[in-house]
Amino acid sequence: MRFTVNRDVFSESVSFAVKLLPQRPTQPLLSGALIEAEGDQLTISSFDYEVSARTTITAEVSEPGRALVSGRLLSEIASRLPHSDVEVSLLESRVEVRCGSATFSLPAMPAEEYPQVPRVDSVSGSVPAEEFADAIAQVSLAASKDDVTPVITGVQFEVSENSLTLTATDRYRVATRSIDWESQGAQETLTALVPSKIVTEVGKTFANDGQVQVSIVKDGERELIAFTGASKTVTSLLIKGNYPPVGRLFPTDIDNYAVMNTAELVEAVGRVGLVLEREAALRFSFVEGTVTLEAAGTEAAQAVETVDVHLVGEEMVVSLKPQFLLDGLRSTHSEFARIAFTRTDTPGKPGPVLITSQSSKEEADEESFRYLLQPNLLLR
């Protein structure tokens, strides 16, 4: 194997291919990046039996072949090479990387023992890349970080008619967002539960690729999802299990809500929250024209601040964890945010608050993004 390739293109491709490699692979081979050169193309891929990444670039191939080398080491080397074309060759049991005056010789692992990287031929549908990336950023932060319940560490994909809905929860909050979906093939309802860390990386990787093709495969032998944008593909096994029916938690009709400038409330929460202990909550008292934020911290530290609001319905007092609230507010991606209040059957106990976006104080946006947050017990 021998090929010459542009330094920047090579570095970017290797970085993409190895980004999802496990920190502690179960086998040494699974730490490798597989390099395949044929015709005028170079394919770089990685696979650990759960997640794969593959990209194809143009290269000047003088000798076709394949080689397997340490992925992270190759990525570090590629990112620091001089600005010149890169020549890579397989010499017996070593891979030689030459660039300008720099030469590296890496031990090659047995490529014939490397597992077959998954290939998905069918396409379920496609989504606008930028909108898809925005939706992922809004929703994935609500996924649970606790592996004790694997089913809620994922992001639920639901395809219905012409829309794709992403949903995530960690029991304390639920985030959901719907975007346009262009079906390719038979029109059908599809669901897939995808690890949130994979979804997050997909959002970052494909944000500028115009359209992202999504393939959901459930053929009995394997259940996986594939994302393809430009020359890059990421596949992931799906999380098995039944996702909790969190959609029914969202209220249908709400006539009690407050609208405020998103940035003003975010800044106020950040300031008042400085005196709080890590798991403590802020008290929010909503009256017409004003919401008062109150915090009581350790060593008698206290903070109070008010923010202008437009209140519809009754006055309300709720207690919310600052970080969870900030996540929801920042995810609205709008100048104004609406916080809607729900009731429970228990007197004095407020129900979850629903955070959505608004383009102005008077006009509500179409609720493509919704963030439901469970309040804490009221501070006394």
Side-chain angles (χ1 to χ4, degrees):
M1 180 190 73
R2 186 186 300 274
F3 62 85
T4 303
V5 64
N6 176 274
R7 181 261 189 200
D8 293 338
V9 174
F10 181 64
S11 177
E12 180 185 348
S13 300
V14 174
S15 175
F16 161 76
V18 308
K19 194 172 294 184
L20 296 174
L21 282 174
Q23 293 292 337
R24 297 178 180 84
T26 56
Q27 304 173 31
L29 283 177
L30 302 183
S31 68
L34 182 64
I35 304 171
E36 301 173 282
E38 186 175 357
D40 63 351
Q41 292 189 326
L42 176 67
T43 300
I44 305 172
S45 52
S46 65
F47 182 41
D48 69 350
Y49 292 109
E50 293 185 1
V51 180
S52 78
R54 185 179 71 254
T55 183
T56 300
I57 57 177
T58 300
E60 183 181 325
V61 179
S62 51
E63 295 180 20
R66 62 205 303 259
L68 182 67
V69 296
S70 169
R72 299 200 185 281
L73 179 56
L74 181 64
S75 180
E76 290 179 5
I77 291 172
S79 67
R80 301 188 184 188
L81 289 173
H83 289 278
S84 181
D85 285 348
V86 182
E87 182 181 284
V88 180
S89 55
L90 175 62
L91 304 173
E92 296 181 350
S93 62
R94 303 190 70 83
V95 172
E96 186 174 88
V97 179
R98 287 178 171 271
C99 183
S101 59
T103 301
F104 295 86
S105 179
L106 311 179
M109 294 183 277
E112 63 277 4
E113 297 179 14
Y114 196 70
Q116 182 69 38
V117 179
R119 291 185 178 273
V120 179
D121 298 325
S122 61
V123 177
S124 302
S126 60
V127 290
E130 187 174 354
E131 193 175 359
F132 187 41
D134 285 344
I136 288 172
Q138 290 175 303
V139 170
S140 60
L141 52 76
S144 175
K145 309 299 187 294
D146 187 356
D147 291 334
V148 174
T149 311
V151 73
I152 60 172
T153 63
V155 175
Q156 175 82 339
F157 284 56
E158 294 180 87
V159 176
S160 177
E161 296 183 354
N162 298 318
S163 69
L164 167 64
T165 300
L166 307 181
T167 304
T169 184
D170 58 6
R171 292 194 183 94
Y172 305 103
R173 53 187 172 165
V174 182
T176 184
R177 167 78 190 274
S178 297
I179 61 174
D180 292 337
W181 169 270
E182 184 179 334
S183 179
Q184 298 183 19
Q187 186 66 257
E188 58 179 323
T189 300
L190 298 171
T191 61
L193 185 53
V194 191
S196 61
K197 63 180 181 180
I198 304 303
V199 176
T200 300
E201 198 57 53
V202 163
K204 296 175 182 176
T205 299
F206 298 114
N208 301 313
D209 285 339
Q211 289 284 118
V212 178
Q213 293 183 326
V214 183
S215 305
I216 299 173
V217 179
K218 295 183 178 181
D219 59 10
E221 294 183 4
R222 60 176 183 171
E223 293 190 356
L224 60 83
I225 190 167
F227 304 95
T228 301
S231 61
K232 303 182 181 74
T233 297
V234 170
T235 71
S236 172
L237 292 182
L238 301 181
I239 298 174
K240 294 184 178 180
N242 296 320
Y243 200 69
V246 293
R248 67 187 183 187
L249 299 176
F250 288 92
T252 53
D253 296 310
I254 294 182
D255 53 12
N256 192 187
Y257 60 88
V259 180
M260 65 231 67
N261 182 281
T262 308
E264 290 180 4
L265 185 58
V266 165
E267 291 175 2
V269 170
R271 282 190 292 266
V272 178
L274 291 173
V275 304
L276 288 177
E277 295 180 352
R278 184 173 181 180
E279 294 299 320
L282 283 177
R283 180 187 178 109
F284 296 80
S285 301
F286 291 87
V287 298
E288 174 50 37
T290 302
V291 56
T292 302
L293 290 67
E294 300 173 82
T298 59
E299 301 179 358
Q302 296 181 347
V304 178
E305 186 167 346
T306 60
V307 175
D308 293 340
V309 301
H310 170 58
L311 181 67
V312 175
E314 303 176 10
E315 296 180 357
M316 182 63 63
V317 179
V318 294
S319 181
L320 303 170
K321 286 191 175 182
Q323 190 55 56
F324 284 1
L325 176 61
L326 289 174
D327 286 345
L329 292 173
R330 289 168 176 155
S331 294
T332 60
H333 296 173
S334 62
E335 183 178 359
F336 294 93
R338 172 188 287 208
I339 298 181
F341 310 106
T342 64
R343 299 280 187 180
T344 65
D345 295 332
T346 304
K349 182 180 179 181
V353 298
L354 176 63
I355 300 175
T356 54
S357 63
Q358 285 206 183
S359 53
S360 70
K361 280 191 175 181
E362 293 76 26
E363 295 185 23
D365 294 345
E366 181 181 347
E367 294 184 356
S368 61
F369 168 72
R370 297 181 295 166
Y371 184 92
L372 195 66
L373 176 58
Q374 182 66 41
N376 290 49
L377 292 176
L378 285 175
L379 303 171
R380 297 297 182 185

